[in-house]
Amino acid sequence: MKEDFCNEEKMVSVLLAAAMGTTALVGFGTTAYADDDVLEFYHGYYQDESEWAAAQVMRDIYDEFAKEHADGSVTFKPIAVENRDDIVSAQVAGGSFPDLVDVGGGGVPQAALSQDLVYDLKPYIDENGLQDAVGLNYTQHDMDGHIYAVHDQIESRGLWYNSDIFEKAGITEEAFADWDSFGEAMEKIRALDEDVYGYIAGQGSSYIVNTVMASTDEGKKMLESELTEDTINSEEFAAAFKTAANLDQANGSEHTTDDNGNLMAEFNTNGKAGVLFNGVWNASGIDASLTDAIEPALFPGNIAIASAGGGLAVANNMSDEKTELALEFIKYMTSAEVQEKIFTGVQANPCNTTVDLNALAEESDDAATRKLAQACSQVNEADTVVIDMNYTWGSDVDKAIINALMECAVSGTDIDARFAALQTELIALVA
């Protein structure tokens, strides 16, 4: 989600000083936390409501929990920061961990786990029957029988298409049967005597690689593990990359971007692109004039990308009272009541699998909410759901793949040669 990408780089020394101002750092191998009567919660929803309304919705949810527990022995104190990931890194470097923190997309640092600084949430989830409440977190965040973070939202990706453009080009949803039929559909769009094109490529094209890999059992296993030299040299990876590269080259280099946000208006506002690869949250960005035309769909082969991402993590070795309140907060955030607010107010896919999204959509007069429900339901019910390779292979690998695909989009580029160069780059990265 947006909050996962809003942290600014800060000097570690400054962060340590700032952290010490609110939290007493203790010796290496132990956990630093605030006074026993205060549970500090760091989160990344610092944006003004006028800048991002969802941030205020989340802050209101946190404040409501604080009010509900105002008479307890421990005070719940939510703290909005721009640099929460850096704060976590700085504290972990000093052998400590925040009381409670919503970690970013990178998840809980391995250094924190190796020092036993983070509380294992799995026993609490199992004892309280919260498996459905935490949803995808229960499997994706399982680390050898331990769960160290629970995200209250599921980062869910499929694609969006402009049905008006499809109709003009004589295309049906059968275009999404497989990537061959998708390519044929994009060719029909390019043939229209209008100022339109197939899809926004570049960053979005990495999801082609992601889902082509997921179309085979072996490829899906590779995506769910760390990237290795065997994967880089595999037939599955070669087929996935070259499928995306060939589609991108036919689509045209002028329609590529390393950040989908740079061309989003081309699809959501101007109606110039036939397809956009993006998350379910794109529903809120659709212009009112295009609401009836833009529809959600899954990636070819009935495949969706869904990732638990970061999530709420609790410090180990706090007082019983603080730990109890922190766990109660996680139960609260994954409850059906709060999850409904996250769906309607934040426009995100809730983690709780018991929430009836379609019922919520029917109660809403907002077109974006109805589109959001459709997109979330499709992702949740996809034949194949796979994690975003960015989380397992790393952002540096993802960036290298995107850069290679953008070069392949240039007419005349030798895709085989560029793929061989990419393999060399990636092998160096994982060495």
Side-chain angles (χ1 to χ4, degrees), residues 161-162 165-171 175 182-199 251 272-275:
Y161 69 96
N162 187 313
I165 293 177
F166 270 45
E167 184 176 353
K168 290 176 183 177
I171 305 168
F182 178 85
E184 292 167 2
M186 296 305 100
E187 186 174 348
K188 290 180 180 179
I189 291 176
R190 292 192 295 273
L192 289 174
D193 187 21
E194 298 180 19
D195 186 25
V196 297
Y197 58 93
Y199 64 98
N251 191 60
K272 294 179 63 175
V275 172

Side-chain angles (χ1 to χ4, degrees), residues 318-379:
M318 293 193 296
S319 67
D320 291 342
E321 293 78 9
K322 288 181 67 171
T323 300
E324 182 180 352
L325 185 61
L327 296 175
E328 183 65 26
F329 178 67
I330 290 175
K331 184 177 180 180
Y332 165 83
M333 289 302 298
T334 58
S335 67
E337 180 182 2
V338 171
Q339 290 282 290
E340 289 178 4
K341 293 178 181 178
I342 286 175
F343 172 73
T344 57
V346 182
Q347 297 279 292
N349 194 4
C351 68
N352 190 315
T353 60
T354 69
V355 176
D356 189 339
L357 302 180
N358 291 319
L360 291 175
E362 290 175 3
E363 297 170 3
S364 175
D365 295 327
D366 181 50
T369 299
R370 293 194 295 273
K371 294 287 185 181
L372 174 66
Q374 293 174 29
C376 290
S377 296
Q378 288 179 3
V379 169

